[in-house]
Amino acid sequence: MILTTAPIDIVVGVVLYWIGIGLAGLVRPLSLRFISRVLFPLGAMGGLVLMAAALLGIPAAPATRVLPLGLPDLPFHIRLDALSAFFIGLLGVAVVGISLFSTGYFRRGQGTAPGLLCLQYHLFLAAMVTVLLADDAYLFMVAWETMAITSYFLVTSSHKIPEIRSAGFLYLLIAHIGAIAILLCFGVLQGGRGDYTFAAMRESELSAFWSSAAFMLALFGFGAKAGILPLHVWLPEAHPAAPSPISALMSGVMLKTAIYGMLRVTFDLLQTQLWWWGALALALGLLTAVFGVMFAAVQTDMKRLLAYSSIENIGVILAGIGLTIIFHAYGNPHLAALSLVATLYHSLNHACFKSLLFLATGSVLHATHERSLGKLGGLIRNMPWVAVTALIGSLAIAGLPPLNGFVSEWLLLQAFLFSPGLANPYLNMLVPVAAAALVLAAALSGYVMVKFYGVIFLGQYREARLAEARDEGPWARAGLVWLSAACVLLGVLPVGVILLLDHVTLPLVNFAIGTSAARTGWLLIAPVSPERASYGPLLFLLGITGTVLLTFALVRRLYHGRVRRGDAWDCGFPAQNARMQDTAEGFGQPIKQIFEPFFRIRRHLPSPFDAQPFYSATSEDRLWYWLYLPVARLNERLAAWIGILQHGRIYLYLLYSFVTLLALLMFVR
Amino acid sequence: MPFSAQLINLMAALLLLIAFAMLSQRRILSLIYLFAWQGAVLAANSVIVAWSTGQTHLYYSALLTLALKAIILPWILHRLIIRLNIKWDVETLINIPTTMLVGIALVVISFNLALPVTQLAGTITRGTLGIAIAMVLLSFLMMITRRKAVPQVIGFLAMENGLFFAATSTTYGMPMVVELGIALDVLVGMLILGIFFFQVREAFDSLDLKHMEKLREE
């Protein structure tokens, strides 16, 4: 039956299904058993269906529907084309894992009642799908705001804690500032004709100035949601505040809706693309990437670390969008398609591995009640499932072959390095620099992941009570394994994904690289030509697996079982304890030293005579002091000036109206 | 100039005189009597306009004005001040002569404002628009310069009289439905303000509005 229904109707069905599940949560709002054992797995089924719909919808021709909802004479329009189907598929993959994990995650007595949480969660999912489906500005904004508000309530689900409330407020504030910019962007796009359907926006002919205005507004508005510098401040606050599955959903999926919006406006709704938009996006993206990874390197809270890592990945994706615009504007469709494929691929990868890692932190948090890296360690012994899946996620995010992170970063670097003389000499000079910055970000992200994984899972317990930590139950394991499997498969079988992505790039940049990339069969991808660069992920996997197994066997055979004698001189280490191993602070120290001007560091150094010495150092974001606090102060000062008008004396208020009336009568004839 | 036009001008002059009298009046009781007189003159003016132009709906409106503004509202106000026991003098924020000077300036401004409209209008009453605007502005000025709640309400009601007069003089009155609506609004507004007075006195032991300054946000 599912094969005869149009994909767009399946997607609409899933939206309604999720809303239904959310409402079902209100039937028995306090029964955790019913909600987590029945409703969340049912929600995960919706994700599976969406994946199927996406696989059917990507190659199919765009389908449109007019829904009998909305205001009179202003119905909702929806449309499923390859781009939205791709992002819906991305959402489906991530949601299956996250919903399965959530089944075992939510506990009793943590802020919001489970039924309400279930409603918010599923409405959030439905709103994200609707954003991807919307074909008019009206439905898009309604869904976008629903997404912002439901996620706000999810972030503040432990609303009794003041820090969480203020983190939620910051998130809501920036989300609304962004939404205003998006609304204005649609206002510019409709070109003064008053028709807010996307179909009409594609037809409208805008001048270069207004096109640029629309692009800048979209960059700002969607950038606020995605966490692009300098609008990133809410990410490191909101992610640690939210429950882990929610962080996974927001970082893995919601940030991608902003990427979707940016692509939709830039390549679909706008008819012309100027090269300097691309240069701007590229510069902003690389700045964001390097900034994010630098801050990730010095974090000591595991969820903040992942939040900064999300900023880095969004920066990489934005750089990919910028590169696509540059190539597209200079009429180089092959490379434009290549960098667009890399961008989309990286979005999909990030959805998988970042969700996986956030879920893993959720498991660690539940098992140990500890978020600070300084108090974790050695958990691989107690939590093998979480440790192995988190290892896969860490390797993937660090961009190591044969996992998925490598494929997209490699493709993006190919796009950078194959740029053979654009028509603009300055760009020609700058693109290699940009490639270097991208490599810097990628390398540092590897460093960050070594720190993340090593400090949490390896070494010895830093606290005695960590020995009592327990591994996750079967539901959460299923979610973790699902997402790690996605990371592996996306890494090993890139050709299939690229062939599917052809349907997305073809309408957007009028070119598809799939056939040329797959010309040497499904084992090897060669995006430009096999002579220049190619990559066979499966061979890598086999090679690495073979080497590891061989080494394991050899070590086992040659090294173990022999007689060893203890040394007389232990090099000063007669016993090794947890305080001797490298801490998160210590591991991040080199980065802190090298990039010191970028941080605002506050240190407390103990004096030699202190009876109870302690050391503390916090690295803060300078942008907070340079940009946000001045804006907040300006706002307060303006409010104080306006407050001068308020006296509480009625005759003065009357005088204001009187003077206004007289002025209007005198001057506005 | 026909006799009716002269009569209308006389009424307008009376209204302006009453407006100035209200501005200079210190006693609340006299203020209420003046307000009643203003309503009566307004009703008479409507009758004269209706009689000279044959606009029959203005008779009803005159009747309504007489009943509401010359009898019912003054009666409510009178009862109110007796119940509240506030027959004392009205304190003004600015002294009376200065207020009168400002009032004269406002009349000049109003006539200046009414000039272009007067040249365009074709009604018999067109010369009186300036006086109507002056009445509105003078009532506004009265609201600003009084410190107590009751004179402010009287100023508000007088302002409504000015608007009514403006409507009569430029377009022979508003449509009946609008007029009925406004009349009802004024009546209801008066009743609500009456309740409000009691509440204010309950809360502050006085009807002096300077106590409300405490309500502002620090």
Side-chain angles (χ1 to χ4, degrees), chain A residues 285-340:
Chain A
L286 291 172
L287 265 178
T288 309
V290 174
F291 173 91
V293 76
M294 247 160 45
F295 271 81
V298 298
Q299 295 309 312
T300 50
D301 176 321
M302 60 181 176
K303 291 185 84 177
R304 277 180 86 91
L305 183 147
L306 289 183
Y308 275 112
S309 159
S310 288
I311 296 177
E312 181 238 327
N313 279 285
I314 285 296
V316 170
I317 293 170
L318 183 67
I321 295 177
L323 201 61
T324 314
I325 298 174
I326 292 177
F327 287 136
H328 192 55
Y330 280 116
N332 194 335
H334 192 145
L335 288 174
L338 175 60
S339 45
L340 187 58

Side-chain angles (χ1 to χ4, degrees), chain A residues 478-498:
Chain A
L480 292 170
V481 167
W482 168 271
L483 287 171
S484 354
C487 286
V488 174
L489 285 179
L490 284 172
V492 176
L493 301 170
V495 176
V497 182
I498 290 173

Side-chain angles (χ1 to χ4, degrees), chain A residues 643-644 646-658 661-662 665-666 669, chain B residues 93 106 109 112-113 116 133 136-137 140-141 143-144 146 152 209 212-213 216-217:
Chain A
I644 294 172
Q646 191 203 9
H647 287 281
R649 294 186 196 130
I650 288 182
Y651 68 88
L652 267 178
Y653 294 160
L654 286 170
L655 196 65
Y656 296 149
S657 341
F658 186 65
L661 179 68
L662 271 187
L665 282 172
M666 302 282 279
R669 292 273 174 109
Chain B
L93 283 168
L106 284 178
I109 291 171
N112 189 24
L113 284 172
I133 297 177
V136 174
L137 294 182
F140 214 143
L141 186 63
M143 283 172 78
I144 293 172
R146 300 304 154 102
Q152 282 197 339
L209 294 176
M212 297 227 188
E213 286 173 29
R216 68 186 286 230
E217 183 191 6

Side-chain angles (χ1 to χ4, degrees), chain B residues 185-205:
Chain B
D185 275 356
V186 168
L187 194 62
V188 172
M190 188 58 234
L191 291 174
I192 292 171
L193 285 167
I195 297 163
F196 178 67
F197 288 156
F198 282 102
Q199 296 293 332
V200 170
R201 202 177 60 159
E202 197 112 313
F204 298 115
D205 271 337

Side-chain angles (χ1 to χ4, degrees), chain A residues 441-657:
Chain A
L444 281 177
S445 86
Y447 179 88
V448 169
M449 280 305 132
V450 170
K451 166 177 165 175
F452 173 79
Y453 192 80
V455 172
I456 296 179
F457 292 104
L458 304 182
Q460 302 187 4
Y461 304 123
R462 288 192 172 79
E463 306 260 304
R465 64 192 165 79
L466 294 186
E468 283 139 39
R470 287 282 156 270
D471 207 353
E472 283 288 357
W475 286 105
R477 280 182 205 170
L480 292 170
V481 167
W482 168 271
L483 287 171
S484 354
C487 286
V488 174
L489 285 179
L490 284 172
V492 176
L493 301 170
V495 176
V497 182
I498 290 173
L499 281 174
L500 212 54
L501 281 176
D502 275 359
H503 301 286
V504 183
T505 59
L506 202 55
L508 296 185
V509 294
N510 310 318
F511 199 82
I513 59 161
T515 42
S516 72
R519 79 170 82 79
T520 47
W522 60 276
L523 270 181
L524 214 62
I525 51 168
V528 180
S529 66
E531 293 81 46
R532 298 193 69 170
S534 58
Y535 166 56
L538 207 57
L539 299 178
F540 250 105
L541 181 65
L542 290 176
I544 288 178
T545 322
T547 317
V548 168
L549 287 178
L550 198 67
T551 318
F552 185 73
L554 284 177
V555 168
R556 195 86 197 195
R557 212 171 154 71
L558 300 180
Y559 186 73
H560 284 278
R562 286 174 163 197
V563 178
R564 289 178 69 205
R565 282 176 187 279
D567 295 334
W569 304 94
D570 250 349
C571 292
F573 292 105
Q576 228 176 353
N577 66 25
R579 288 183 60 80
M580 289 176 185
Q581 48 190 350
D582 207 355
T583 59
E585 275 275 316
F587 202 83
Q589 199 61 29
I591 298 291
K592 218 186 222 176
Q593 296 294 336
I594 297 167
F595 297 105
E596 181 144 22
F598 293 90
F599 305 113
R600 186 188 154 104
I601 298 175
R602 278 201 300 221
R603 279 199 187 84
H604 175 269
L605 297 173
S607 88
F609 309 104
D610 206 335
Q612 286 177 319
F614 74 97
Y615 165 81
S616 79
T618 49
S619 314
E620 290 172 335
D621 191 345
R622 279 190 189 277
L623 273 171
W624 186 256
Y625 294 91
W626 287 348
L627 183 66
Y628 284 85
L629 288 186
V631 168
R633 272 199 292 272
L634 183 71
N635 201 3
E636 261 176 23
R637 203 167 303 158
L638 282 178
W641 279 342
I642 291 168
I644 294 172
L645 289 177
Q646 191 203 9
H647 287 281
R649 294 186 196 130
I650 288 182
Y651 68 88
L652 267 178
Y653 294 160
L654 286 170
L655 196 65
Y656 296 149
S657 341

Side-chain angles (χ1 to χ4, degrees), chain A residues 112-164:
Chain A
T112 312
L116 217 49
L117 208 60
C118 170
L119 177 70
Q120 292 161 359
Y121 180 89
H122 287 101
L123 278 185
F124 182 39
L125 295 182
M128 285 196 287
V129 178
T130 314
V131 163
L132 300 173
L133 272 185
D135 196 34
D136 58 30
Y138 172 39
L139 178 59
F140 189 94
M141 289 314 295
V142 169
W144 188 261
E145 289 294 286
T146 312
M147 189 174 89
I149 288 171
T150 47
S151 54
Y152 165 76
F153 283 117
L154 287 168
V155 166
T156 55
S157 66
S158 316
H159 49 79
K160 297 206 173 88
I161 303 168
E163 286 83 27
I164 288 182

